[in-house]
Amino acid sequence: MTTRARTIWIVVAVVTTLAAVSAVAWYLTRPGPAPAPSPSGAPTASPEPSPSGPPPTPSTPPEDPLAGWTLEQKVGQLFMVGVDVSDPQQVSYDAVSQLHVGNVFLAGRSQAGTGPTADLVAGFTALVSPETTNGTPLFVATDQEGGYVQVLRGPGFSQIPTATDQAGLDPAALQADATTWGGELAAAGVNLNLAPVMDLVPEGTEAQNPPIGYFQRNYGTTPDTVTAHANAFSAGMEASGVDVTIKHFPGLGRVTENTDTDAGVTDDVTTRDDPSVAVFASGIEAGAAFVMTSTAVYPQIDGSLPAAFSPVVVDGMLRGDLGFDGVVITDDVSAAQQVQAWSPADRAVLTIDAGGDMVLASADPSVVQPMVATVVERATTDPAFAAKVDAAVLRVLTAKERLG
């Protein structure tokens, strides 16, 4: 064989081998049988490959987190009833045992100390059962700000300075102190403090601001001082297993009357994007589980309703502008003069309708019964309102999961 012939033979062999390999590779990786030629010579479509393996499992719908709850039990989670620490009334016990109320507030003033306070709390937590609160634990709250607003005193409880004095501490030192104060509350069975105050009081106006500045409840008079110290107080409480409530949104720092004792309390200055609102944004970013709404009226935001009843304030500002997805609780709407123009029933319905989650009836627990009855009735007949009830209950239950 000549050299030229041998070269041609080698090239043909290589090409043939490559073609064979390609054919095998195509056979092994083909999706199905090769298309057969049609009478016109065009290939026909390949048949669909047969499925391999078991058929997909149908997705299971998510479990309803409120399955097993009666409407009455759900509504009960949206109320916090007052308990007089020096003279607890039967109506407060009945609220839990008969009305399914899922939260209590220790009100008044006590010098009894940790042990007797823990015994009082135990009398309420013992009422938790599948029949009352669907077995869900209570939020047990109080006002333990310090200074003039400190419900629990006596053996086991520190004498907490006013917020204005707390603002004189380094934030790290304040956080350490608040961790101690939170531990004292936890030892007494309290798991929620309706504090700290985050109202921004303009410098030099403290004496003309009855609810906050006059009692030195403000952490200084600048946004930086308020946020640094209020958030340090919150972090200390939370470190001891006590949740906090920043208050009173969107701010009581400019009012010249007290909503507890006066009607027609109005703040004509605060706007939706006011620096006093930004202070609360900082508290929310720091992780506050609760925000308390004030019952003052803010004409620059919504001049028709107190903030606690206003969809503009609650749904628009808190939920929308600030992105808060925790629990919105009212200031006291049982005995406060500011809300007496509305019936107790209307106060409760307006709160839930505005996007709020929890109605605080601290000063007069007797109003809880008509409040609860009306919310149940409204939820029975109004599907849109019932949906708001369910959404509020889920927010409350989510917060309770933090209790461990």
Side-chain angles (χ1 to χ4, degrees), residues 226-361:
V226 172
T227 56
H229 292 86
N231 288 342
F233 181 95
S234 294
M237 286 284 156
E238 291 163 350
S240 291
V242 176
D243 269 332
V244 297
T245 305
I246 56 176
K247 59 187 184 182
H248 309 77
F249 188 83
L252 284 177
R254 290 190 176 111
V255 299
T256 57
E257 295 175 299
N258 190 329
T259 54
D260 287 337
T261 57
D262 300 293
V265 180
T266 302
D267 174 348
D268 293 317
V269 178
T270 298
T271 60
R272 192 159 174 164
D273 58 355
D274 199 88
S276 64
V277 175
V279 168
F280 285 93
S282 171
I284 290 169
E285 291 169 4
F290 281 65
V291 174
M292 177 182 286
T293 48
S294 90
T295 54
V297 175
Y298 301 82
Q300 297 292 330
I301 300 171
D302 179 358
S304 62
L305 289 168
F309 304 156
S310 168
V312 177
V313 172
V314 179
D315 193 48
M317 292 177 66
L318 259 180
R319 303 290 189 205
D321 297 352
L322 303 189
F324 181 62
D325 60 1
V327 178
V328 177
I329 184 172
T330 68
D331 201 349
D332 177 54
V333 291
S334 63
Q337 286 300 306
Q338 176 75 354
V339 297
Q340 294 306 304
W342 292 267
S343 70
D346 285 344
R347 295 171 216 163
V349 168
L350 285 168
T351 296
I352 307 304
D353 221 17
D357 304 308
M358 197 174 290
V359 178
L360 175 62

Side-chain angles (χ1 to χ4, degrees), residues 70 72-73 96-100 127-135:
T70 67
E72 290 77 10
Q73 288 172 333
V96 178
S97 63
Q98 298 178 20
L99 302 178
H100 313 283
L127 299 175
V128 171
S129 72
E131 292 72 34
T132 57
T133 66
N134 200 33

Side-chain angles (χ1 to χ4, degrees), residues 76-83 96 100-106 121 124-125 128 133 135-142 189-194 241-245 288-290 326-329 357-358 360 392-404:
Q77 290 295 312
L78 308 185
F79 288 86
M80 179 172 280
V81 64
V83 177
V96 178
H100 313 283
V101 167
N103 314 282
V104 299
F105 175 82
L106 306 184
V121 170
F124 282 89
T125 57
V128 171
T133 66
T136 302
L138 307 174
F139 267 123
V140 179
T142 196
V190 176
N191 52 31
L192 177 63
N193 193 359
L194 301 193
V242 176
D243 269 332
V244 297
T245 305
F290 281 65
V327 178
V328 177
I329 184 172
D357 304 308
M358 197 174 290
L360 175 62
V393 174
L394 289 174
R395 285 188 287 265
V396 172
L397 295 180
T398 297
K400 286 189 174 184
E401 290 178 0
R402 294 164 54 120
L403 301 178

